[in-house]
Amino acid sequence: FLRQFLPRVGLSMLLKGFCYIHRHPYYTIILVNLIDPILLQICVPLQQGVGTRSYLPATAWFAASLMTLSQMQLCCNIFGVEGSAISLLFMFPCSRRQILLGKNLSLFLFLSLLNVFLVISIGVFSRQISQLGVLFCWTELSLIMTLGVGNLFSLYFPMRVVMRGWRVKPSK
């Protein structure tokens, strides 16, 4: 579907982003951190207490805020997993905007799927059905804002992701 709307470079970066998300251990660690707000929605309603019902709307918004903060780690360093290959990637005769578009689109689609999962879990466990549309809209708008800010940080303050066990050669 996206093949007719995206340029080839953007589409190839989108597919490359999905491959990275699928197999790179950095993304697995981030995914586990993104599940924490969903677990918060499960634990609070199951808690026994008199005032639990009055805290459910605030808990839903708190979990969505935690989700946004957890997503910042992914969005503010979109070229971190590329490592030294980023210099080779930027030497290709293509527009850097298309490279950014593909990377951002892969992260946006992946994190939007997680946002849908978060909002559905909020609806199931907190019984706050009336807030789900507003909450999903808020999480998607915050994701767009985070991706925009993350582009600035990724381009002006790049930082290589170093996982435990990797050997890093000092630059001379």
Side-chain angles (χ1 to χ4, degrees):
F1 171 72
L2 292 173
R3 187 175 292 170
Q4 57 190 341
F5 296 112
L6 284 177
R8 285 186 174 187
V9 174
L11 186 63
S12 65
M13 289 304 295
L14 174 74
L15 296 175
K16 181 181 176 197
F18 283 143
C19 288
Y20 270 11
I21 289 170
H22 176 67
R23 68 174 180 192
H24 203 278
Y26 175 72
Y27 290 110
T28 307
I29 292 169
I30 299 294
L31 179 63
V32 170
N33 290 336
L34 289 175
I35 293 174
D36 288 342
I38 297 170
L39 293 177
L40 177 72
Q41 290 300 314
I42 296 170
C43 294
V44 170
L46 297 177
Q47 179 184 22
Q48 298 295 326
V50 179
T52 306
R53 292 256 183 230
S54 63
Y55 292 121
L56 288 179
T59 306
W61 285 98
F62 180 69
S65 300
L66 279 179
M67 187 77 165
T68 299
L69 289 175
S70 298
Q71 290 171 356
M72 279 185 168
Q73 187 175 2
L74 269 179
C75 295
C76 289
N77 196 13
I78 61 174
F79 294 117
V81 294
E82 302 280 340
S84 60
I86 193 64
S87 60
L88 183 65
L89 182 67
F90 282 150
M91 286 179 17
F92 284 135
C94 60
S95 172
R96 290 185 182 185
R97 287 183 184 162
Q98 293 176 5
I99 293 172
L100 276 174
L101 177 71
K103 291 289 273 189
N104 285 331
L105 197 56
S106 64
L107 277 176
F108 180 76
L109 293 174
F110 174 69
L111 293 175
S112 292
L113 183 67
L114 286 175
N115 284 343
V116 167
F117 188 63
L118 171 77
V119 169
I120 289 173
S121 70
I122 288 173
V124 168
F125 294 108
S126 70
R127 297 176 200 96
Q128 297 294 322
I129 305 296
S130 62
Q131 294 185 19
L132 294 185
V134 174
L135 197 60
F136 180 71
C137 183
W138 185 82
T139 56
E140 289 298 302
L141 288 174
S142 68
L143 176 60
I144 291 170
M145 185 224 31
T146 305
L147 280 171
V149 171
N151 284 335
L152 292 174
F153 278 102
S154 296
L155 292 175
Y156 290 115
F157 307 109
M159 181 176 244
R160 183 177 177 199
V161 172
V162 179
M163 299 293 291
R164 180 177 288 172
W166 287 4
R167 293 184 183 167
V168 179
K169 296 177 183 176
S171 61
K172 296 180 182 181

